[in-house]
């Protein structure tokens, strides 16, 4: 085979560090293991970056895909660091960053009938290794019901309610499971969602939501209080976007806290 | 200037008619005039196609953009035919098809306070001219509140409600304005939406929705009855997608009718 | 437990058949088995509808989720009919329709180095059972390289090329595998795509694309010829959307054929 | 009219500041004026937030919409501060933040024929006023052609190329126009895009791109050098996402610099 020049390895005269270079929007099937211990199959949207020193012209894009294809173990919030470190070493870089976003399913039991069904959440893991060390940010989106206290308070009957997306981003000093974040968000919502509800369940969630009205401000404050009190969490943000049933736009609130 | 071969005009040996060839996903600013007579500025996502006879290798893509750029008048459901016919002639084709999708704004007054604000709708116009004649399909998406009759009926208090997207597609023998379709959909919803609501308005829409519960099935049937009785309409479909506040999926129904 | 009225089973006075009612945008994890015989895990976006006769007020939405949760076998183009028929029976309907859209992965070997990597495709299966029988429509989206013959022909060197999305929709009288449709589309592209390419592979695909220029019109005609000649196929459409590297819009062509 | 309690104004016991509360995903038509001095009509996706002190239960969501509806002048990078300050005052808040994202059109002349056509860009303006002062971040996305130097170098003929999205985010101490950012990005691309190209233009852009191959790393470094040398710019980031024509994923690079 003829020798093809490695153009990316030429020296570069511009003296400009690149903080992130790599590949983006790669879909990849993987298994992900959380608190339950059993690995579920999912499909992640992956971004993989490394830093590039000022004297190098380019990185080696194909190595990112090799790493994805070679890593056959289940992913988890614990093992994520291994893949990021593997990226840093394989690309011979100072820093490496791996972002994966994927649907995560939990089997839930309906509140009265107990019938079981899956609910889908969104998870994003962002792991970064730099000369200063390794940092993982966990993000979980939990869809919930929000019911408006103002609407309830001023109306003779009824209250507008809607689906809302609550995102928590967190950095921790000890392992915090995805399911733990889901649980704490669902505990603070006007009501949690279910895939499957029989009539007695529908009566239950309707009345439960009416009994637990929350402004978008209440939702983020109540979740933030729980995260503030969790000693494992060192930094977090919590936001809620309520897809208002009476408007064609969203209500939104966000709290961020460095502890 | 040297003569560059017109590769697209070469003969083609495959004897295969192409029903649609052209450009897609072009963003274009335009003015659109409806019932009110005054033209609003909007930005359309445009698809422009013609048919290609079996003996021709390719169409002339740049002419589509020329037509968009040359047409300076306001668009309307009435004048849409002119642009489609211009496409057919300029591309020397048997058939031509123009699809435009754009946001459409209406100023509404809140139901109690009367404060005014804009609400945004989605409009799609699809005009097609063939040897058999010209056909326009008008489509309008109206976001509304839907409130669940089952939830209301079985619960001591409250009722789950949510935003829903109601689409009407229609073909007509006489002009039907976008605003007319918006009005008839909003009249049949559990409640219509507003950009701006003061507290007395919020009380009103909360109670109005509670007083007008509708299944997704009711919504499409009630809109379909109105379209069935409108003598100007020759064909229609109506669908509603309700973004359920108690689930993470939608309820959906659709009726189509050739009259 | 108190008896909660089944509001959906009330009679309906509007005498209006609903062609499609059900649930939409449900994410569901499943295994899908194709030509290779081994089932891959994927996540489908599901729409599930039945028809509703004029005298019934509503359908039973929760049964759709029960069917999804109860069906534990791998899905396939062959077994899809079972799930659709199960829907029709469980909902006591005349007609039922199941749409599933999911990513589908194939391991490919790079053309020179032979290194292996996954490529992701989009698959849609739409199965419908009516009193007239069962009909399955298979749709596959294959991302490919397209290289412009005009640009090549008129330029001293180079030729603009870009990613394109080729969709085939097909109805068949015998089983046609997803992989067969992928293979025939990739055989007709300027070049096929790979997840992982080493330098000799990159040289190969660059030159291969330059040697196989195709207009968007050529792409759909060449795929259409193959589908026209496949005796198993009774109806098809093929479209290509080329995300032009010299414009900010797409070139597009579509052929549909009832045989 | 009865007096309806202002629930949002109740005191709040949780002692938790909310950094951002307001509305999100509001579509709003507006006029935007840039370097040319003449205002173009566009449609913005708007997010509007204020901070909420720890002792207040909620903000007044309807005031955000009032501000949008009341502001009738053209927007510009200069006048953006007025709207943000109006938000802060009207909501009686310490901090206010306004984000608007909208398509921005420029009429360009093709490089050889000189024929004119529009090209669409994406603009995001993010203005924030806090007790520390006002800060505007301007972001512009310019779609361009990228042509791979490695592919060109190792191949006998041809080179893979594709559309890329280059984003610049910038903070400045003096006015920098949107058009200036567009111009500097387009000057550094393998080639700029046009809505309309005649055959001599297509020959020109094909050969120009082949003569200006750039890795994704080159693209961001060359734009970063220009921004580094612009004394008006105090902070910037530049990223490029190349929608590779030989893969089904993107190549990506990003440089951020505080000056």
């Amino acid at each position: 085979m003829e020798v093809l020049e490695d153009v990316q390895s030429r020296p570069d005269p511009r003296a400009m560090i690149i903080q992130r270079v790599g590949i983006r929007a790669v879909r990849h099937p993987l298994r992900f293991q959380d608190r339950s211990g059993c690995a579920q199959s999912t499909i992640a949207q992956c971004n993989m970056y490394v830093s590039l020193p000022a004297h190098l012209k380019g990185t080696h894009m194909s190595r990112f895909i090799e790493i994805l294809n070679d890593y056959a173990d289940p992913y988890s919030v614990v093992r994520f660091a291994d893949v990021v470190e593997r990226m840093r070493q394989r690309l011979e870089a100072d820093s490496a960053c791996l972002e994966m976003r994927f649907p995560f399913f939990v089997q839930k039991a309906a509140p009265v009938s107990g019938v079981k069904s899956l609910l889908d959440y969104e998870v994003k893991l962002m792991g970064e290794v730099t000369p200063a060390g390794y940092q993982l940010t966990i993000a979980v989106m939990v869809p919930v019901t929000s019911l408006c206290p103002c609407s309830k308070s001023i109306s003779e009957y009824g209250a507008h309610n809607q689906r809302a997306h609550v995102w928590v981003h967190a950095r921790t000093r000890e392992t915090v499971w995805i399911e733990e974040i889901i649980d704490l968000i669902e505990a603070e919502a006007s009501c949690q969602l279910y895939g499957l509800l029989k009539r007695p369940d529908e009566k239950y969630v309707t009345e439960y939501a009416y009994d637990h009205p929350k402004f978008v401000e209440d939702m983020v404050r109540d979740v933030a209080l729980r995260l503030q009190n969790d000693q494992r969490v060192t930094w977090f943000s919590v936001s809620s976007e309520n897809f208002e049933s009476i408007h064609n736009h969203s209500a939104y609130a966000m709290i961020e806290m460095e502890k």
Side-chain angles (χ1 to χ4, degrees), chain A:
Chain A
M1 191 189 295
E2 66 187 302
V3 175
L4 300 173
E5 191 204 344
D6 182 357
V7 182
Q8 284 89 340
S9 296
R10 289 180 192 159
D12 193 281
R14 279 160 301 196
M16 180 85 71
I17 288 169
I18 297 181
Q19 282 97 334
R20 292 190 167 185
V21 56
I23 60 175
R24 199 175 166 90
V26 184
R27 285 204 290 191
H28 190 72
L30 52 84
R31 285 174 303 138
F32 185 81
Q33 195 173 39
D34 207 62
R35 187 176 55 185
S36 75
C38 103
Q40 63 177 266
S41 294
T42 188
I43 293 173
Q45 191 88 359
C46 310
N47 302 333
M48 307 175 82
Y49 312 125
V50 291
S51 58
L52 189 72
H55 67 279
L56 286 182
K57 187 164 177 61
T59 192
H60 291 89
M61 299 285 186
S62 64
R63 296 185 189 171
F64 293 102
I65 297 286
E66 286 173 353
I67 290 164
L68 271 190
N69 284 334
D70 290 352
Y71 193 86
D73 292 331
Y75 286 74
S76 76
V77 293
V78 178
R79 285 197 218 104
F80 209 69
D82 299 345
V83 193
V84 185
E85 178 56 23
R86 192 180 289 204
M87 282 171 58
R88 199 191 60 75
Q89 288 181 21
R90 183 87 180 79
L91 274 296
E92 299 161 37
D94 289 334
S95 303
C97 173
L98 173 60
E99 299 176 345
M100 288 191 162
R101 178 176 176 147
F102 50 89
F104 179 81
F105 292 86
V106 174
Q107 192 178 55
K108 301 174 71 168
V112 178
S113 70
V115 293
K116 288 182 175 165
S117 61
L118 293 174
L119 194 69
D120 58 312
Y121 305 87
E122 284 286 302
V123 171
K124 275 199 290 186
L125 298 179
M126 290 151 285
E128 188 155 24
V129 61
T130 66
Y134 173 72
Q135 176 72 69
L136 176 68
T137 306
I138 300 173
V140 188
M141 189 282 280
V142 178
V144 301
T145 307
S146 72
L147 187 138
C148 178
C150 173
S151 169
K152 174 179 172 179
S153 162
I154 63 182
S155 304
E156 299 290 322
Y157 39 79
H160 78 81
N161 53 79
Q162 51 270 319
R163 213 185 290 163
H165 283 181
V166 181
W167 274 100
V168 163
H169 287 65
R171 295 184 193 132
T172 66
R173 59 170 60 85
E174 288 173 55
T175 299
V176 173
W177 300 109
I178 305 295
E179 279 106 329
E180 291 183 271
I181 298 175
I182 291 173
D183 288 348
L184 83 83
I185 293 173
E186 293 189 335
E188 292 299 346
S190 290
C191 193
Q192 56 181 298
L193 305 190
Y194 298 90
L196 181 51
L197 294 169
K198 307 305 279 181
R199 265 195 300 281
D201 302 312
E202 186 169 354
K203 173 179 163 59
Y204 177 90
V205 297
T206 301
E207 296 171 356
Y208 187 95
Y210 195 81
D211 289 334
H212 296 79
K214 295 225 176 172
F215 285 121
V216 71
E217 293 94 333
D218 295 321
M219 186 70 211
V220 295
R221 275 176 167 150
D222 291 340
V223 172
L225 274 176
R226 287 187 177 241
L227 293 166
Q228 190 181 28
N229 293 332
D230 189 324
Q231 299 308 315
R232 299 171 301 174
V233 175
T234 57
W235 169 91
F236 70 86
S237 77
V238 50
S239 69
S240 182
E241 179 169 5
N242 296 8
F243 304 99
E244 301 290 284
S245 66
I246 61 171
H247 298 301
N248 200 25
H249 59 260
S250 303
Y252 177 84
M254 189 274 291
I255 291 173
E256 182 182 352
M257 195 179 295
E258 183 79 47
K259 297 203 297 192

